[in-house]
Amino acid sequence: MGLLSILRKLKSAPDQEVRILLLGLDNAGKTTLLKQLASEDISHITPTQGFNIKSVQSQGFKLNVWDIGGQRKIRPYWRNYFENTDILIYVIDSADRKRFEETGQELAELLEEEKLSCAPVLIFANKQDLLTAAPASEIAEGLNLHTIRDRVWQIQSCSALTGEGVQDGMNWVCKNVNAKKK
């Protein structure tokens, strides 16, 4: 059974649920992105101290998105949320070049996790609305994303603040939602 026929079957099932884990360093824009997806007000965002969960309907799928705080002291607890993850979305602050090495190390560690093995990965190169933002291609090269061979992945330029690029990324998610469930 090909991917297209599997997706057709999934789309015919009402409210096919998908578990998405939304991770990244603190201040990358994860919560803003989540609120943008849920069409909620983004004018007052506070740092996530634990986690946020939102269910978002998209292209016949019910996306259950788990937004976990990215502060250094919280990151060791990320692994408590890996179980049954269908898609990993990793958010990078494209304008915070000083933290590219740190965010790259965190992403590399996530890609080594057995419970996340083969889960498709969407990397949002966020904050593209800022003049100092590195383009997605530069981030992909700096993080050696081209070496990822054990799963499908995509890097998507976006601005969680303006919403630009967010839907393109979510379209990719919906196309690749079944990669782990084959």
Side-chain angles (χ1 to χ4, degrees):
M1 184 181 291
L3 180 60
L4 189 57
S5 58
I6 292 170
L7 284 174
R8 282 189 189 124
K9 183 179 174 186
L10 285 173
K11 282 188 176 190
S12 67
D15 288 339
Q16 173 66 30
E17 291 197 24
V18 177
R19 179 181 161 95
I20 297 175
L21 192 56
L22 182 62
L23 299 175
L25 302 186
D26 52 303
N27 201 37
K30 298 177 300 298
T31 303
T32 305
L33 184 72
L34 181 60
K35 287 185 174 255
Q36 184 72 253
L37 288 173
S39 300
E40 293 181 5
D41 179 29
I42 59 170
S43 60
H44 301 291
I45 305 286
T46 58
T48 303
Q49 294 302 313
F51 60 89
N52 297 305
I53 306 169
K54 299 268 184 223
S55 290
V56 180
Q57 288 293 136
S58 184
Q59 300 181 27
F61 295 104
K62 180 179 180 184
L63 307 176
N64 296 315
V65 185
W66 291 69
D67 162 26
I68 315 298
Q71 295 89 344
R72 189 180 306 276
K73 65 182 179 178
I74 294 176
R75 291 181 217 154
Y77 298 101
W78 284 356
R79 63 182 11 88
N80 295 328
Y81 300 91
F82 293 168
E83 197 80 36
N84 300 316
T85 295
D86 296 309
I87 302 273
L88 172 63
I89 297 178
Y90 193 80
V91 183
I92 295 175
D93 178 345
S94 302
D96 193 355
R97 295 170 187 260
K98 288 182 265 179
R99 296 183 80 191
F100 281 0
E101 184 177 340
E102 181 183 3
T103 199
Q105 288 172 339
E106 291 294 343
L107 179 58
E109 288 177 24
L110 288 169
L111 295 176
E112 295 295 320
E113 289 289 340
E114 186 178 330
K115 289 182 180 176
L116 294 175
S117 66
C118 300
V121 178
L122 172 63
I123 298 118
F124 269 125
N126 193 23
K127 303 190 182 182
Q128 290 293 316
D129 54 308
L130 300 178
L131 293 175
T132 57
S137 58
E138 181 182 317
I139 293 170
E141 188 175 316
L143 297 180
N144 294 314
L145 297 181
H146 62 279
T147 63
I148 299 173
R149 301 272 188 246
D150 64 340
R151 68 190 77 220
V152 294
W153 63 272
Q154 172 75 19
I155 187 163
Q156 174 66 52
S157 295
C158 78
S159 167
L161 195 60
T162 67
E164 187 174 340
V166 173
Q167 193 55 53
D168 292 334
M170 295 316 290
N171 289 342
W172 182 89
V173 164
C174 290
K175 286 179 189 171
N176 289 281
V177 74
N178 202 42
K180 186 179 177 195
K181 292 184 175 185
K182 282 190 218 179

